[in-house]
Amino acid sequence: MKYEELKSEVKDIVDICESVPEKYRSQCFDILLQSLLSGVDHGRTGKREGADAFNADGKDEKSYKQNNGNSPLPTPSQIKVLMQKTGVTLDELQQIAMYEDDEVHFILEPTTKKIARGQIEWALMTALRNGVTQNNLAADPENVRSICIEKGFYDKANFAATFKTPKNAALFQGPMEAQGEPQKLSAEGQKELGKLVKQLTTA
């Protein structure tokens, strides 16, 4: 792992530790740092073992392969932060998505009947996919448009306007505009993504 990557990972660990009660922060930092360094020393397998520490059900990589027939979903730092902030577990993420050939394929998808809500939910799902594959919880407006067309949630006349309503705009750190830059999820957006994951896995 390069220095800049390691620096970023450590920063994310600090962010996670700040979200837990103060009396547990030191122990939390030690555990997470040890997991990170284990990944650095032992390569891909070690890092994935560290990630599995966030799986509340205690299932390891081997059991996931046996149960699902595919590789366990990677949990880069931004996914770890999402899990910590929202209470989403690795098991729940595994129920929603599978990881194969370095790509994320959704097993469970939004089922809302409302076009506008479907657009928002697919934007959140796109951000989740990018979080897993790129360590960046962000949605690209044009990618969201494409998948909404594919899934039947595209309202050409109101597509852009849907993302500009105050409630929906608050889910992203910047404006979701046509041909615009990908926008990271805000804290509210991460919370909404967590709710969506819980909703899909309990439906």
Side-chain angles (χ1 to χ4, degrees):
M1 182 180 290
K2 296 179 180 179
Y3 171 74
E4 288 301 324
E5 294 176 352
L6 181 61
K7 183 178 178 181
S8 175
E9 293 278 2
V10 172
K11 182 179 182 300
D12 288 328
I13 287 176
V14 172
D15 290 341
I16 292 172
C17 292
E18 289 179 349
S19 69
V20 303
E22 187 173 356
K23 63 181 180 179
Y24 300 119
R25 289 179 185 174
S26 178
Q27 183 180 5
C28 178
F29 181 82
D30 290 342
I31 293 172
L32 295 179
L33 183 61
Q34 183 178 2
S35 295
L36 174 62
L37 295 179
S38 174
V40 173
D41 292 338
H42 301 295
R44 192 172 180 180
T45 300
K47 185 174 182 179
R48 196 162 280 172
E49 287 172 352
D52 283 340
F54 285 83
N55 176 19
D57 294 330
K59 296 179 180 178
D60 59 17
E61 180 175 333
K62 183 177 179 181
S63 67
Y64 274 121
K65 287 184 175 179
Q66 291 174 338
N67 293 337
N68 297 334
N70 55 274
S71 299
L73 205 67
T75 53
S77 58
Q78 289 303 305
I79 295 299
K80 294 175 186 175
V81 171
L82 174 72
M83 294 164 69
Q84 180 66 29
K85 287 183 176 180
T86 65
V88 166
T89 67
L90 182 56
D91 183 59
E92 288 170 327
L93 292 178
Q94 289 274 166
Q95 291 180 53
I96 284 181
M98 62 179 287
Y99 187 70
E100 186 175 35
D101 297 328
D102 298 324
E103 293 184 357
V104 171
H105 304 280
F106 291 118
I107 302 169
L108 300 176
E109 299 183 349
T111 58
T112 179
K113 302 301 182 182
K114 298 180 179 179
I115 298 296
R117 179 58 188 173
Q119 292 175 174
I120 297 301
E121 291 187 357
W122 272 111
L124 296 173
M125 296 287 278
T126 299
L128 174 61
R129 172 185 286 161
N130 291 335
V132 173
T133 60
Q134 303 173 22
N135 194 27
N136 186 21
L137 284 167
D140 181 286
E142 294 308 312
N143 286 345
V144 174
R145 185 194 303 274
S146 295
I147 199 166
C148 285
I149 292 173
E150 176 188 341
K151 301 296 181 180
F153 287 103
Y154 184 56
D155 178 359
K156 184 177 181 180
N158 299 299
F159 183 78
T162 295
F163 290 95
K164 293 180 180 179
T165 64
K167 180 180 179 180
N168 293 335
L171 303 178
F172 306 92
Q173 293 185 9
M176 291 280 284
E177 298 178 335
Q179 307 296 327
E181 295 293 321
Q183 297 299 328
K184 291 184 177 181
L185 296 185
S186 64
E188 189 63 28
Q190 292 186 37
K191 181 179 178 181
E192 192 68 17
L193 175 55
K195 288 181 180 178
L196 179 58
V197 170
K198 296 286 187 181
Q199 174 187 320
L200 291 175
T201 55
T202 57

